[in-house]
Amino acid sequence: MKDENCFTTVEQMEADSAKLYELSKASGAQTWEDRNKNQTPHCKFGEEGVCCRICSMGPCRITPKAPRGICGADADAIAGRNYLRMVAGGCSAHSDHGREICHTLYAAKADGYYKVTDTVKLINLAKEWDIETEGRDIYDIAHDVALCGLNEYGKPFGTQKFLKRATEERQKTWEEQGISPRAVDREITTAMHMTHMGNTADAEALVRQSLRTGMADGWGGSMMGTEFTDILFGTPSVRETEGGLGVIEEDMVNIIVHGHDPAMSEMIVQASEHKDLLDLARSYGAKGINIAGLCCTANEVAMRHGVKMAGNFLQQENAILTGCVELIAVDVQCIFPALGPLSECFHTKFITTSEIARIPGAIHIKMEKENALEQGRQIVKMAVENFANRDKNKIFIPKTKEKAVVGYSCESILKQLDTVTNSHLDERNTYKPLIDCVTSGVLRGAVAIVGCNNPKVRPDYSHIEIMKKLIKNDIIIVASGCSAQAAAKAGLLSKEAKNLCGAGLKRVCELADIPPVLHMGSCVDISRMMLLATGIAKDWGVDITKVPVVGCAPEWMSEKAVSIANYVVSTGIDTYLGIEPQVKGSAKMMQLITQGTREITGAGYIINKDPHELVQAMIDGIEAKRAALGI
Ligand code: BF8
Ligand code: SF4
């Protein structure tokens, strides 16, 4: 039996990184550690959100002596505008990704490289959107669904179609509070318009638009991203893989896929299985072709193909430092521009594939839908031909890796729950077995842990410490994004992790044959978590705000994370943050995001930089919700 001392610790991961940095100095490599030192301490005005450079009379910075900018904007207006602009940035990134996937579905053909894989999901969505399905060709339906989805980004009237999936209570709250999102582009544009010089200076109005813009992401663009990706590439199902830098193989051609939109990585994965390319790899002396992922692209291909996960955000440079990565291909978001100069210190080829992410030092191969598989083959061939160029003196692959079970879409979770309820037919395809565990106290509740890692705290430490404490306290976890990969690296996605759980959760893991941390996918897949929470609330018959479920982003860094936090709070779920939003220079904004939103949506942020205090606050929060329900 694997006991507590056999799981990979943060200390081991840090020792691996330290060794990689030390060895790579001779190659002239620089990493985020070096640059972080140069950037610390950070500008206090920026950190507190009270620097405004929205017009060229500024920049204006708020101090006790200068409490207003030239136009008269105060700290509340400036911090509020900066905050809303972060949400708009995050919503646009997720939603443009979602839109691109709609275009991919629109381009899908029976004899094309992109095909419909999950026809059931397509038909269900067509019916949900009142699109005719009877007797029609599947691709005609797919194109109509894609068009309808694309229309959600720019339609002149109405609100997001997916809002109807929410509980009656949520829909009513959103409507009454005026935060039901209209077209995705409209909300982003409104956010940019409101924050233009000479517009909204009222912090509460800015926070309300932050909620609405976040909703356009979570219940709009991101949800479409998830649905359309499932239709194209398959709804994730449970499968085994591995996580950690040790998944890079010295005797194989290693290709890293990195970013978010799986349209590129799917083609690379397919091409890597082509016999002629495998033969070519062997002819160069490699045993085969090894694809490994970074960031959310890793999550996408792990969930659908079991592709191994090399690591998360702050590990992207480490992969190259192993000296064994022939090629790193990136699509969009969370890609360090540092990969350009860094890959030049090694034999690694750095390939960009999207017009959204052009980076100096990269070879740019713009992915075209009609040509995608040929381009995937071209990229794989380039990697294979680069195998011989490795410098043997620069090779060091840390051995650290852990087993991981991934692929817990809502559909997989429901299926897994069915395995424990075969005698209760009325409980099939519902969350009732899970709810029974929570009401009886076998499980205390659930936490969705999401988001990035961040040098402002000890990277990965908060994720892992928080998860370990929660599972010890019989709280089940769903994870996504870089948080899920932190869990993978620490072995928390393996079934053996049940040995780290309290007695109740351990029993549930054994009965349902699941790990205590369920990998739900990438960051756009946090929309799956919203549907999971909605499903639980509906099957339970209580408001979502009352269910003992909370969200947590212990090490978040990106604008996308701020957008996510806004839709999670809008959905009625308290959100625990380990990094402070950059609004501290405005007491009013701090009050609004921690308390004020509770009047609007019934939920808010709880912020604490100490992971141990943060996790205790979460446990207390869950217990308080239980007490209020009388369970
Ligand atoms: O979208 S968790 S570092 S990879 S932003 Fe980026 Fe953050 Fe990772 Fe995925 Ni999400
Ligand atoms: Fe300064 Fe106002 Fe211009 Fe901002 S909008 S830079 S506070 S003058």
Side-chain angles (χ1 to χ4, degrees):
M1 187 180 96
K2 189 165 170 173
D3 75 20
E4 231 161 295
N5 305 318
C6 302
F7 290 86
T8 303
T9 60
V10 177
E11 286 73 17
Q12 276 167 280
M13 297 174 204
E14 287 170 341
D16 287 345
S17 298
K19 178 124 194 243
L20 279 167
Y21 301 149
E22 189 192 308
L23 295 174
S24 61
K25 287 288 171 242
S27 316
Q30 270 211 343
T31 62
W32 63 262
E33 272 93 342
D34 303 302
R35 298 185 299 271
N36 189 46
K37 279 188 202 126
N38 296 341
Q39 288 296 340
T40 327
H42 297 277
C43 164
K44 193 168 152 287
F45 296 101
E47 208 155 41
E48 300 197 342
V50 288
C51 171
C52 181
R53 43 171 297 280
I54 276 170
C55 88
S56 82
M57 292 192 283
C60 297
R61 303 184 305 181
I62 300 304
T63 64
K65 268 205 205 142
R68 286 183 186 269
I70 295 169
C71 67
D74 61 8
D76 304 336
I78 293 173
R81 287 175 183 173
N82 288 339
Y83 179 78
L84 175 53
R85 284 201 165 197
M86 282 193 91
V87 179
C91 177
S92 62
H94 273 153
S95 300
D96 212 34
H97 163 179
R99 178 180 353 222
E100 197 53 41
I101 293 283
C102 287
H103 278 293
T104 308
L105 184 66
Y106 189 73
K109 298 198 263 259
D111 59 352
Y113 297 133
Y114 295 109
K115 295 190 174 66
V116 171
T117 302
D118 192 335
T119 39
V120 174
K121 200 157 205 167
L122 172 69
I123 301 284
N124 286 342
L125 183 54
K127 289 187 174 150
E128 184 179 337
W129 282 355
D130 295 324
I131 292 166
E132 186 55 58
T133 56
E134 278 314 302
R136 294 186 71 200
D137 179 82
I138 202 76
Y139 284 89
D140 289 339
I141 301 172
H143 297 157
D144 282 356
V145 168
L147 263 184
C148 187
L150 287 165
N151 202 36
E152 289 297 285
Y153 291 87
K155 64 186 182 186
F157 304 107
T159 52
Q160 287 295 300
K161 283 181 179 296
F162 280 146
L163 301 186
K164 292 212 173 68
R165 291 179 166 190
T167 59
E168 293 287 328
E169 178 274 330
R170 273 299 97 185
Q171 294 184 54
K172 193 162 160 263
T173 302
W174 296 334
E175 212 37 59
E176 282 172 4
Q177 295 295 332
I179 58 166
S180 305
R182 301 158 296 172
V184 177
D185 293 351
R186 181 72 200 268
E187 297 309 351
I188 296 165
T189 305
T190 297
M192 296 309 285
H193 188 178
M194 282 175 79
T195 54
H196 185 275
M197 196 274 151
N199 285 325
T200 299
D202 176 64
E204 187 182 330
L206 293 164
V207 167
R208 281 180 181 274
Q209 181 58 20
S210 299
L211 294 169
R212 186 156 67 159
T213 310
M215 289 283 293
D217 170 356
W219 289 82
S222 272
M223 202 171 275
M224 283 191 274
T226 297
E227 291 280 325
F228 285 72
T229 304
D230 285 356
I231 291 169
L232 278 163
F233 305 120
T235 300
S237 54
V238 178
R239 58 188 75 232
E240 290 182 5
T241 180
E242 290 175 334
L245 276 179
V247 306
I248 295 172
E249 306 270 356
E250 188 163 349
D251 50 9
M252 307 261 265
V253 171
N254 291 297
I255 301 177
I256 300 280
V257 288
H258 174 20
H260 288 78
D261 177 344
M264 176 262 315
S265 45
E266 284 280 337
M267 292 299 116
I268 292 180
V269 171
Q270 263 189 47
S272 73
E273 288 160 3
H274 288 180
K275 186 173 177 305
D276 61 327
L277 290 170
L278 284 165
D279 287 344
L280 187 67
R282 287 185 200 111
S283 77
Y284 278 97
K287 282 205 177 134
I289 302 171
N290 182 37
I291 310 281
L294 280 172
C295 282
C296 284
T297 289
N299 294 324
E300 298 280 359
V301 284
M303 301 259 287
R304 296 191 178 86
H305 303 284
V307 166
K308 295 170 186 171
M309 301 177 282
N312 50 8
F313 181 61
L314 287 177
Q315 242 178 337
Q316 54 188 293
E317 292 168 305
N318 294 23
I320 295 182
L321 297 187
T322 62
C324 284
V325 170
E326 274 59 60
L327 183 146
I328 177 163
V330 302
D331 50 86
V332 292
Q333 301 167 19
C334 301
I335 301 147
F336 276 3
L339 299 187
L342 187 66
S343 55
E344 279 162 20
C345 301
F346 293 84
H347 75 304
T348 308
K349 291 208 186 304
F350 175 37
I351 313 292
T352 51
T353 59
S354 166
E355 298 301 286
I356 298 289
R358 298 290 308 262
I359 300 173
I363 302 167
H364 188 60
I365 301 177
K366 181 177 173 240
M367 290 295 279
E368 314 272 3
K369 294 181 177 47
E370 323 65 59
N371 250 339
L373 190 59
E374 279 89 19
Q375 291 178 312
R377 284 178 53 83
Q378 181 193 354
I379 290 170
V380 172
K381 187 157 177 268
M382 215 185 251
V384 170
E385 289 170 348
N386 200 22
F387 183 71
N389 297 328
R390 268 190 205 173
D391 181 342
K392 297 228 159 19
N393 298 317
K394 292 185 180 175
I395 293 177
F396 168 65
I397 306 177
K399 296 214 167 16
T400 323
K401 63 176 178 182
E402 290 276 0
K403 282 192 206 149
V405 186
V406 299
Y408 291 97
S409 52
C410 293
E411 290 85 341
S412 306
I413 293 175
L414 286 168
K415 212 159 145 195
Q416 212 73 23
L417 290 173
D418 279 352
T419 63
V420 285
T421 58
N422 37 19
S423 51
H424 308 282
L425 281 179
D426 59 326
E427 297 206 339
R428 288 193 81 83
N429 210 32
T430 72
Y431 295 105
K432 284 189 184 146
L434 183 64
I435 296 164
D436 290 345
C437 290
V438 177
T439 49
S440 66
V442 174
L443 293 181
R444 307 305 295 175
V447 178
I449 307 194
V450 306
C452 332
N453 46 16
N454 187 326
K456 283 203 169 152
V457 291
R458 191 175 164 191
D460 289 337
Y461 179 77
S462 299
H463 286 294
I464 293 166
E465 283 292 294
I466 287 172
M467 287 185 193
K468 284 189 173 165
K469 177 94 189 247
L470 290 173
I471 62 176
K472 189 134 249 146
N473 281 278
D474 292 326
I475 293 169
I476 194 167
I477 295 172
V478 288
S480 70
C482 289
S483 182
Q485 296 188 5
K489 290 190 285 180
L492 302 180
L493 299 183
S494 67
K495 290 188 185 161
E496 286 105 327
K498 68 177 187 209
N499 299 330
L500 304 175
C501 299
L505 179 53
K506 184 173 183 187
R507 179 106 186 91
V508 170
C509 289
E510 280 167 350
L511 274 176
D513 194 27
I514 52 170
V517 181
L518 302 176
H519 186 313
M520 284 197 93
S522 62
C523 291
V524 288
D525 291 336
I526 297 171
S527 61
R528 294 189 204 276
M529 294 176 175
M530 298 304 97
L531 295 177
L532 175 69
T534 301
I536 292 172
K538 282 182 179 171
D539 287 344
W540 197 329
V542 296
D543 290 355
I544 221 164
T545 48
K546 299 204 166 72
V547 178
V549 169
V550 301
C552 176
E555 305 184 21
W556 70 273
M557 64 85 203
S558 78
E559 291 175 324
K560 290 182 284 175
V562 191
S563 177
I564 293 167
N566 272 279
Y567 72 69
V568 175
V569 164
S570 298
T571 305
I573 300 170
D574 281 334
T575 301
Y576 292 71
L577 303 177
I579 304 277
E580 288 171 329
Q582 290 161 332
V583 299
K584 228 176 45 186
S586 158
K588 180 142 198 200
M589 275 301 293
M590 284 303 282
Q591 191 279 335
L592 279 165
I593 59 176
T594 54
Q595 295 303 325
T597 55
R598 292 178 192 279
E599 310 289 309
I600 306 169
T601 73
Y605 298 161
I606 295 91
I607 306 164
N608 195 319
K609 285 189 281 187
D610 180 315
H612 301 108
E613 289 176 15
L614 190 67
V615 68
Q616 193 52 52
M618 253 182 268
I619 295 170
D620 295 346
I622 284 173
E623 290 301 331
K625 282 188 192 282
R626 293 184 62 92
L629 280 169
I631 55 173

